């Protein structure tokens, strides 16, 4: 993948260590690829946007998998009587703690919150994109109850619905390191004194949708994501397969012919097959994970309607997979 070269941004005689340079490359590339999509999500006709059209079937796949592999009674609520509406079809993610990686403008984050999640944390490398997401979560049409913005422990503003927390300007690897450290501290504190502050508890569900094709090291991202799952937790990953069919549809068709996606958004060389992603998560990361489901996501003709459907036999272009952490894995 060709990353952005920004040596020309340095002052004359300035030097940048390789570690810092690599980090800036990652952030700059994600901003370049993802930030432009915010315009296509909220500023253009949403019905013509591929991500908006794809969102319902991504939700459909996730709720089906959660229902089959992670029943609601596995995540009891501390605040709500579980004898009521425990199996409500309108709240299939009731009481779940969810992390949405690469949240962008909050399209998926808000949807997950509406489906009953007790908390959805949306994280994105771009602080500007997160600000867009925060503002949108207060919008009347978002159907979310707003709450006052508060400051987190590191001084960055949080915002949005009282069940949504946005974190911007960090990589997944940095988030995992910080989150696991705080989780350990909270566990040690609760062992000696009563502690109801579970802000850094691990997650029941983590989503990394349409993101790994935009980062230089997807294995590192997926490994860090897996480390934040509870035992029995599920990681959802969606991306584009690296096939001739995907090149013709996702790049030539979507970017150059129809203009549904900004030109340059995708690099065919960074697309990933289901087998490659499974190997990253299950074999290479050593995270005690297993694949439990995979489906293709197929756009139906006429393509201009942006209507999508799930197809378990066609993963040639867009596809989504689910990976579950072993129930014996320690927190």
């Amino acid at each position: 993948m060709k990353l952005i070269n920004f040596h020309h941004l340095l002052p004359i005689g300035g030097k940048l260590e390789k570690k810092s340079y690599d980090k800036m490359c990652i952030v700059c590339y994600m901003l370049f690829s993802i930030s432009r999509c915010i315009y296509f999500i909220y500023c253009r006709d949403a019905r013509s946007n591929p991500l908006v059209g794809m969102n319902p079937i991504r939700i459909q796949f996730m709720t089906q998998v959660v229902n089959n592999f992670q029943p609601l009674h596995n995540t009891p609520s501390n605040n709500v009587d579980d004898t009521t509406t425990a199996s409500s079809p309108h709240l299939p993610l009731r009481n779940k703690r969810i992390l949405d990686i690469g949240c962008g403008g909050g399209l998926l984050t808000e949807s997950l919150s509406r489906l009953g999640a007790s908390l959805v944390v949306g994280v994105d490398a771009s602080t500007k994109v997160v600000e867009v997401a925060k503002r949108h979560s207060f919008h009347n049409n978002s159907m979310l109850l707003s709450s006052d913005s508060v400051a987190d422990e590191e001084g960055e503003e949080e915002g949005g619905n009282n069940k949504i927390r946005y974190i911007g300007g960090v990589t997944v690897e940095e988030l995992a390191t910080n989150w696991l450290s705080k989780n350990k501290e909270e566990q040690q504190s609760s062992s000696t004194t009563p502690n109801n502050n579970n802000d850094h508890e691990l997650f029941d569900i983590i989503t990394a949708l349409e993101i790994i094709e935009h980062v230089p090291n997807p294995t590192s991202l997926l490994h860090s994501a897996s480390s934040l799952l509870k035992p029995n937790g599920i990681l959802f990953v969606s991306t584009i397969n690296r096939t001739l069919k995907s090149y013709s549809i996702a790049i030539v068709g979507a970017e150059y012919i129809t203009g549904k996606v900004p030109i340059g958004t995708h690099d065919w060389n960074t697309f990933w097959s289901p087998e490659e992603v499974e190997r990253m998560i299950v074999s290479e990361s050593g995270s005690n994970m297993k694949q439990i489901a995979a489906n293709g996501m197929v756009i139906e003709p006429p393509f201009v309607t942006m209507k999508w459907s799930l197809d378990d036999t066609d993963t040639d272009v867009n596809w989504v997979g689910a990976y579950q952490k072993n129930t014996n894995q320690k927190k």
Side-chain angles (χ1 to χ4, degrees):
M1 184 192 317
K2 183 178 180 181
L3 298 179
I4 300 171
N5 187 333
F6 50 87
H7 279 306
H8 63 282
L9 298 179
L10 294 175
I12 296 177
K15 293 183 179 180
L16 189 65
E17 293 182 358
K18 184 178 185 302
K19 183 177 180 181
S20 299
Y21 178 82
D22 289 343
K23 181 178 177 181
M24 290 178 69
C25 281
I26 293 171
V27 174
C28 286
Y29 188 86
M30 292 182 72
L31 297 185
F32 176 77
S33 297
I34 299 173
S35 298
R36 295 180 304 166
C37 292
I38 301 305
Y39 170 77
F40 280 75
I41 293 176
Y42 292 129
C43 300
R44 295 187 59 175
D45 182 1
R47 291 171 297 180
S48 68
N49 178 265
L51 289 179
V52 174
M54 190 186 297
N55 201 50
I57 65 161
R58 299 191 304 187
I59 294 291
Q60 178 186 338
F61 175 80
M62 288 190 287
T63 54
Q64 288 173 350
V65 170
V66 169
N67 183 60
N68 291 333
F69 292 92
Q70 195 187 76
L72 282 169
H73 59 73
N74 283 356
T75 314
S77 169
N78 294 325
N79 303 316
V80 183
D81 182 4
D82 285 323
T83 62
T84 61
T85 66
S87 60
S88 171
H90 304 295
L91 298 174
L93 302 180
R94 184 172 179 266
N95 300 329
K96 304 293 185 183
R97 290 175 59 90
I98 303 175
L99 173 64
D100 181 19
I101 296 172
C103 64
L107 174 67
L108 178 65
T109 313
E110 291 189 17
S111 298
L112 297 171
S113 180
R114 287 189 184 95
L115 295 175
S118 60
L119 172 70
V120 186
V121 177
V123 60
D124 200 285
S126 168
T127 54
K128 291 184 178 180
V129 168
V130 164
E131 288 303 317
V132 173
K134 289 178 184 178
R135 289 195 295 270
H136 189 268
S137 70
F138 286 114
H139 195 278
N140 290 336
N141 291 339
S142 72
M143 298 172 61
L144 296 175
L145 299 174
S146 63
S147 63
D148 294 334
S149 297
V150 297
D152 67 13
E153 297 173 359
E154 298 179 357
E156 290 190 15
E157 186 185 62
E158 299 174 16
N161 171 258
N162 55 353
K163 294 183 179 181
I164 293 178
R165 176 185 178 189
Y166 285 112
I167 303 174
V170 297
T171 65
V172 178
E173 291 84 351
E174 291 170 335
L175 176 73
T177 299
N178 179 67
W179 202 274
L180 292 171
S181 175
K182 295 291 179 61
N183 176 262
K184 184 176 181 180
E185 291 175 5
E186 290 176 2
Q187 285 184 333
Q188 291 174 342
S189 174
S190 63
S191 66
T192 57
T193 58
N195 182 13
N196 295 322
N197 181 14
N198 60 346
D199 287 347
H200 292 86
E201 183 182 341
L202 301 183
F203 296 95
D204 302 287
I205 298 167
I206 296 179
T207 66
L209 307 187
E210 321 306 324
I211 187 67
I212 64 169
E213 67 269 29
H214 297 292
V215 299
N217 192 341
T219 300
S220 175
L221 182 150
L222 295 172
H223 188 194
S224 296
S226 300
S227 71
L228 292 170
L229 282 171
K230 295 179 180 180
N232 204 43
I234 300 174
L235 169 64
F236 290 97
V237 179
S238 67
T239 187
I240 306 175
N241 203 344
R242 192 173 59 260
T243 62
L244 291 177
K245 184 177 177 181
S246 71
Y247 184 86
S248 62
I249 294 177
I251 295 181
V252 177
E255 296 186 17
Y256 289 91
I257 297 179
T258 66
K260 297 294 184 182
V261 178
I263 293 176
T265 297
H266 296 119
D267 178 351
W268 184 81
N269 294 299
T270 64
F271 292 171
W272 301 98
S273 70
E275 294 77 19
E276 289 171 323
V277 172
E278 182 181 10
R279 186 162 57 248
M280 291 181 202
I281 296 173
V282 177
S283 302
E284 296 180 13
S285 68
S287 56
N288 204 10
M289 302 282 288
K290 62 179 180 180
Q291 179 176 296
I292 55 176
N295 256 107
M297 296 185 290
V298 180
I299 188 168
E300 300 178 359
F303 304 124
V304 292
T305 63
M306 287 293 115
K307 184 177 181 181
W308 296 75
S309 62
L310 293 173
D311 188 333
D312 57 7
T313 65
D314 186 355
T315 59
D316 290 344
V317 186
N318 295 87
W319 65 275
V320 57
Y323 310 85
Q324 189 168 37
K325 177 169 272 190
N326 191 310
T327 54
N328 296 322
Q329 183 82 1
K330 294 182 179 180
K331 292 184 181 181

